[in-house]
Amino acid sequence: MSVNEMLLSGTTDALQGGIALTIRTEKQLAENVRERRATPAFSASSVHGEDLTKILQAGLEAPSSYNMQPWRFIVVRDPEQRRRLRVAAMNQEQVEQAPVVIVACGDTGGWREDLEEVLRIGRDHGFNEESRIERKRKNVSEDLGSHPNIAMWVTKQTMIAATTMMWMAEALGYDTGPMEGFYEDQVREVLGIPEHVRVIFLLAVGHLQGADGKHPGRLPASRTLFAEQYGQPFNV
């Protein structure tokens, strides 16, 4: 088995040219869902550049309504910037500990600027039926132009992408800490975020320091899972 094949198949030790290598695999989604915990503290270990690229790209590939991709992500790695961000994030120490903090934002006005570019990219990918293109232009303009809560819309889209980044980070062997505790105006000031862009979610990425958190348990499925209509029991 080649080193590349081992990278895809499991975490183990290998020899290449007499040098011992630690081979790391991507964890399967089912394992991530079962084992993931919020990280209480991070070590100083770094996030490899190639891994960070994979994490970010995973989020950028996430689905979105009308494919409008209203998310905007700020990757914060500078120690001094993370220190300032920690203050804006209610002094949560993980913000300063983790080597990478991804600040997920939603642009409430971005669809106006991006619509034609989204349509152009769609044409490049084979979506070139003019009637469909015009219908999408009309629908997006009407739906988002008169949306009763555009901030909620961008929040839902951005959370899909940010959560996808979280799962990819976990799959690559990193630990994550999603955070909603922050002062939005202070985060906006620290990072130079314009007023029409909402700050939605902070995702700390790194390596666990100390013991992992215990599983807090979940409500019984009978309390949260229904069939056909609200309150009706679900049975397989």
Side-chain angles (χ1 to χ4, degrees), residues 109-123:
W111 69 269
R112 298 180 187 276
E113 299 176 8
D114 296 338
L115 175 55
E116 292 306 318
E117 180 65 4
V118 168
L119 295 175
R120 185 195 67 77
I121 293 170
R123 286 190 182 96

Side-chain angles (χ1 to χ4, degrees), residues 111-112 115 136-146:
W111 69 269
R112 298 180 187 276
L115 175 55
K136 179 171 180 175
R137 179 184 288 113
K138 178 176 181 293
N139 290 342
V140 170
S141 299
E142 290 180 354
D143 292 353
L144 299 186
S146 62

